[in-house]
């Protein structure tokens, strides 16, 4: 399952999708909205391009890390503190590959997928951040 949604992410369903007889390890990453001095986070996504990029990243990770499954769901819209932004679930024969694949996928998403965030502050200020800004650690 690869996609973009405005709805809450069903983490349990993603984990169930990742279960395979040949998978000895399933790694889950859940990114959430943290309290960085802002009230909420607004995510804007070029969905068609983002889904294409997510599928490419999943395919590359599957090959590179010998993954048995990859699930990636990213949210869009306005999210409150502690809400889930992204869920990545990777299955592999061994835990090392699952951990490495999951980490690599997250870095690729942050670097290349057209998802922009706006931090919504106390005074209604919007702070724009593009994927290239995220890659630089902003």
């Amino acid at each position: 399952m690869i996609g973009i949604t405005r709805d809450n992410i069903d983490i349990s369903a993603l984990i169930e999708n990742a279960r395979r007889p040949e998978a000895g390890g399933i790694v889950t990453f859940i990114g959430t909205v943290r309290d960085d001095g802002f009230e909420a986070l607004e995510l804007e996504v070029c969905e068609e391009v983002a889904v294409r990029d997510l599928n490419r990243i999943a395919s590359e990770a599957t090959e590179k890390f010998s993954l048995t499954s990859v699930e990636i769901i990213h949210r869009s819209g306005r999210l409150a503190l502690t809400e889930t932004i992204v869920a990545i679930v990777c299955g592999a024969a061994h835990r090392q590959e699952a951990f490495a694949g999951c980490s690599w996928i997250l870095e690729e998403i942050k670097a290349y997928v057209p998802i922009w965030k706006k931090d919504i502050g106390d005074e209604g200020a919007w702070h724009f951040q593009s994927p290239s800004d995220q890659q630089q650690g902003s």
Side-chain angles (χ1 to χ4, degrees):
M1 189 180 305
I2 308 288
I4 305 292
T5 185
R6 288 186 154 294
D7 301 324
N8 290 326
I9 299 171
D10 184 348
I11 309 289
S12 296
L14 297 179
I15 293 169
E16 285 306 310
N17 286 344
R19 291 188 186 278
R20 306 274 192 290
E22 65 275 15
I26 297 173
V27 170
T28 302
F29 173 79
I30 301 167
T32 61
V33 180
R34 71 176 175 264
D35 185 353
D36 249 357
F38 298 98
E39 294 177 356
L41 184 67
E42 182 79 28
L43 297 169
E44 293 183 6
V45 180
C46 178
E47 191 166 343
E48 181 180 329
V49 176
V51 170
R52 183 192 69 217
D53 289 345
L54 291 173
N55 277 298
R56 176 190 54 78
I57 290 167
S59 180
E60 287 179 24
T62 298
E63 186 169 322
K64 183 175 182 139
F65 299 98
S66 301
L67 301 176
T68 57
S69 63
V70 175
E71 313 288 327
I72 308 169
I73 303 293
H74 205 294
R75 297 279 303 277
S76 65
R78 189 179 181 123
L79 304 177
L81 295 177
T82 74
E83 282 194 77
T84 299
I85 300 169
V86 63
I88 303 168
V89 179
C90 294
H94 304 283
R95 69 182 180 278
Q96 296 90 344
E97 290 87 359
F99 275 111
C102 193
S103 180
W104 184 85
I105 288 169
L106 180 60
E107 295 309 317
E108 291 293 297
I109 290 170
K110 291 175 73 83
Y112 299 109
V113 180
I115 300 170
W116 296 269
K117 74 176 187 177
K118 295 177 184 177
D119 298 326
I120 303 169
D122 291 334
E123 299 167 5
W126 294 82
H127 303 274
F128 186 76
Q129 184 167 327
S130 70
S132 62
D133 293 333
Q134 292 173 5
Q135 185 177 16
Q136 297 170 5
S138 298

